[in-house]
Amino acid sequence: NLFNFQPFVWLVPSTERTGMITDFNYRINDSMTAYMSLNYQHNHSHTELAPSPISTAGDNLIIIPKTNFYNPFGVDLSFNYRPTEVGPRKADITSNTYSMLTGVKGTIMDKFDWDIGYQYGRDETTDLTTNALSESRVKAALARTDSTAFNIFGGPNFKNNANTIDSFKVTSQKGGSAELNLFDAKVSGPLFDLPTGELRGAVYTEYRTENFNEENDAISTTLDDIIGQVKLASS
């Protein structure tokens, strides 16, 4: 039983990028300037893979029970199968990045440069997978004893009932965010002259907070149930 991956696999994801950068400067006086920079970036990519494989060896001993409506052998069976009627696995990854930098800078005594600023940044990412397979639901569909059971014995042109396929096809969503708040101040300039040249110095101080968050759906976390996916941390 051979399977041709080529009709399903994308070698290069499709990608859309939208961004904006805006800078403002306002000269308060000869020695002081206010500034602000605003940035936004939106990225979206889409790619596809072959339908998820179902196998006894690879996925926690999924078997075809002897009671399966279509099992002609009357015994439990090990198997390898790829349900093409599910369609390709589709991954859509979306990210949004926001950042702002604002502050005031200037000169003291015509020689010391100073800068006081605040920076805020936030990244948000979502990874949406469609046409994934739930292991527990596949097992339940294989265990049915009526004509709604999942049938792998139909041959190359056979298609399972759409309701049967939909009963174990799932969508999973993983994501997270990161946030930065940063205040800083610095001053620099010449201190005094040495025989070898001017000695300069600088003082810098910073206060920052960083927050990280995961936001994964219940199928990706609690159930640990998507075929071919490692369990993720909860949000």
Side-chain angles (χ1 to χ4, degrees):
N1 294 320
L2 302 179
F3 179 77
N4 181 12
F5 288 82
Q6 298 308 314
F8 296 96
V9 177
W10 288 27
L11 295 179
V12 179
S14 65
T15 303
E16 297 178 358
R17 296 184 177 92
T18 304
M20 180 190 73
I21 301 174
T22 305
D23 291 315
F24 301 93
N25 288 278
Y26 178 72
R27 188 173 181 180
I28 300 172
N29 55 43
D30 290 342
S31 61
M32 186 181 301
T33 301
Y35 61 88
M36 177 180 287
S37 178
L38 301 174
N39 298 278
Y40 170 71
Q41 182 72 32
H42 171 82
N43 296 328
H44 175 80
S45 64
H46 175 87
T47 192
E48 298 184 5
L49 295 171
S52 295
I54 305 172
S55 81
T56 301
D59 293 285
N60 299 331
L61 297 179
I62 298 177
I63 63 169
I64 304 172
K66 61 184 178 182
T67 54
N68 176 279
F69 183 81
Y70 298 101
N71 186 343
F73 301 104
V75 295
D76 294 342
L77 298 175
S78 300
F79 72 109
N80 293 295
Y81 187 78
R82 196 175 293 264
T84 56
E85 56 261 62
V86 171
R89 284 169 284 178
K90 299 179 180 181
D92 288 274
I93 301 174
T94 304
S95 65
N96 291 288
T97 301
Y98 314 85
S99 66
M100 178 187 72
L101 173 64
T102 186
V104 181
K105 60 184 178 180
T107 305
I108 302 174
M109 302 168 59
D110 293 328
K111 64 177 182 177
F112 291 104
D113 297 323
W114 59 273
D115 191 330
I116 299 174
Y118 166 70
Q119 181 177 359
Y120 173 79
R122 181 175 177 83
D123 296 312
E124 300 170 349
T125 302
T126 301
D127 185 346
L128 183 70
T129 300
T130 54
N131 292 345
L133 300 184
S134 162
E135 181 181 303
S136 60
R137 297 179 191 182
V138 167
K139 289 180 177 178
L142 287 168
R144 294 175 189 165
T145 57
D146 58 23
S147 60
T148 66
F150 182 30
N151 179 17
I152 73 160
F153 302 101
N157 297 317
F158 174 79
K159 299 291 183 182
N160 279 275
N161 183 282
N163 291 332
T164 300
I165 297 298
D166 289 343
S167 70
F168 53 76
K169 185 168 65 173
V170 295
T171 297
S172 69
Q173 180 170 302
K174 305 176 289 293
S177 62
E179 190 174 59
L180 167 70
N181 283 280
L182 185 150
F183 298 87
D184 68 348
K186 50 185 174 286
V187 60
S188 63
L191 299 179
F192 49 82
D193 292 329
L194 293 173
T196 55
E198 185 180 64
L199 177 66
R200 301 179 64 88
V203 176
Y204 176 79
T205 184
E206 174 187 297
Y207 173 79
R208 67 192 294 161
T209 61
E210 298 182 26
N211 296 296
F212 301 91
N213 184 42
E214 283 186 295
E215 298 172 352
N216 304 315
D217 62 14
I219 290 178
S220 299
T221 56
T222 306
L223 298 180
D224 187 18
D225 195 42
I226 296 177
I227 291 177
Q229 177 179 287
V230 178
K231 182 178 179 180
L232 299 172
S234 59
S235 59

